[in-house]
Amino acid sequence: QKEVEQDPGPLSVPEGAIVSLNCTYSNSAFQYFMWYRQYSRKGPELLMYTYSSGNKEDGRFTAQVDKSSKYISLFIRDSQPSDSATYLCAMSVHAGNNRKLIWGLGTSLAVNP
Amino acid sequence: DAGVTQSPTHLIKTRGQQVTLRCSPKSGHDTVSWYQQALGQGPQFIFQYYEEEERQRGNFPDRFSGHQFPNYSSELNVNALLLGDSALYLCASSPRSGEADTQYFGPGTRLTVL
């Protein structure tokens, strides 16, 4: 079993839809949870990070962490064609020098005008 | 403020050759990580440098080596290139003192091995 599982999609939605992207993980030691957006042939761009369980909102984006279920989500409200990209979840254990990020495979999202 | 920069943008090599990729971290960042990303896959961690030393390493052979300079910039070297080394190589920087390991990525170097 992989440490981080992410449905690769592809996911196709109409403009204005609410998008839900999800990852599950197996390592209960993970403390930091990130969402990155990657446009084609570009490096990943950090969207949001959260620590421990709970919600964090930034504009149209909401990150949610449920540590009891080992499940994280990214919600995009009022999705736009410019949101079309691959979304990657990543997580890490912050313990001393152990700062390696563990990544999901990424979910490809297409928002259709 | 310049973000993470990488050079070159694209590179074409043949099997058996050696390649050096370069990375300059974001201003204020002292930790550099390198990743390999194959098409349709998430980034795979190669190694991480801090204070000019390799601090962590992923599951990559010794053909992959690196270096960090006093100004925090870094190089990734790959020897005896294989066809399977064709990928996007990403450099990410982060501040060691940061609470979370929030890494900022460069645009990547696309390596093609023929």
Side-chain angles (χ1 to χ4, degrees), chain A residues 36 38 41 97 99-100, chain B residues 37 56 96 101 103:
Chain A
Y36 285 81
Q38 187 173 24
R41 298 186 175 273
N97 288 323
R99 301 168 69 96
K100 184 174 62 176
Chain B
Q37 187 177 27
Q56 291 192 82
R96 197 72 183 176
D101 195 16
Q103 298 186 6

Side-chain angles (χ1 to χ4, degrees), chain B residues 64-83:
Chain B
F64 290 77
S65 63
H67 189 77
Q68 185 179 35
F69 299 93
N71 67 353
Y72 309 124
S73 66
S74 178
E75 288 182 349
L76 163 66
N77 301 292
V78 187
N79 294 323
L81 285 167
L82 305 174
L83 294 179

Side-chain angles (χ1 to χ4, degrees), chain A residues 2 8 32-34 36 38-46 48-51 86 88-89 92-94 96-106, chain B residues 10 31 33 35 37 39-45 48 50 55-58 88 90 94-108 110:
Chain A
K2 286 188 175 181
Y32 293 95
F33 305 90
M34 293 92 174
Y36 285 81
Q38 187 173 24
Y39 291 113
S40 179
R41 298 186 175 273
K42 302 287 186 183
E45 170 196 8
L46 178 65
M48 299 183 73
Y49 82 88
T50 52
Y51 172 71
T86 296
L88 297 136
C89 64
S92 72
V93 175
H94 184 58
N97 288 323
N98 183 3
R99 301 168 69 96
K100 184 174 62 176
L101 285 181
I102 307 299
W103 295 81
L105 288 179
Chain B
H10 296 88
T31 300
S33 303
Y35 294 85
Q37 187 177 27
L39 204 60
Q41 303 290 318
Q44 296 295 310
F45 176 74
Q48 185 179 82
Y50 170 64
R55 299 292 177 170
Q56 291 192 82
R57 190 178 183 91
L88 180 68
L90 295 162
S94 55
R96 197 72 183 176
S97 58
E99 179 188 56
D101 195 16
T102 50
Q103 298 186 6
Y104 293 82
F105 284 80
R110 185 160 297 280

Side-chain angles (χ1 to χ4, degrees), chain B residues 8 11 13 17-21 76-81 109 111:
Chain B
L11 206 49
K13 292 285 188 178
Q17 284 190 309
Q18 179 264 344
V19 68
T20 297
L21 310 181
L76 163 66
N77 301 292
V78 187
N79 294 323
L81 285 167
T109 294
L111 172 65

Side-chain angles (χ1 to χ4, degrees), chain A residues 56-95:
Chain A
K56 185 174 183 178
E57 190 173 317
D58 184 2
R60 297 185 295 111
F61 297 90
T62 299
Q64 189 175 78
V65 174
D66 182 347
K67 291 193 78 177
S68 61
S69 302
K70 297 190 180 68
Y71 188 89
I72 69 170
S73 299
L74 177 70
F75 298 97
I76 307 174
R77 290 184 300 280
D78 187 25
S79 56
Q80 303 295 310
S82 59
D83 295 329
S84 298
T86 296
Y87 289 81
L88 297 136
C89 64
M91 38 199 88
S92 72
V93 175
H94 184 58

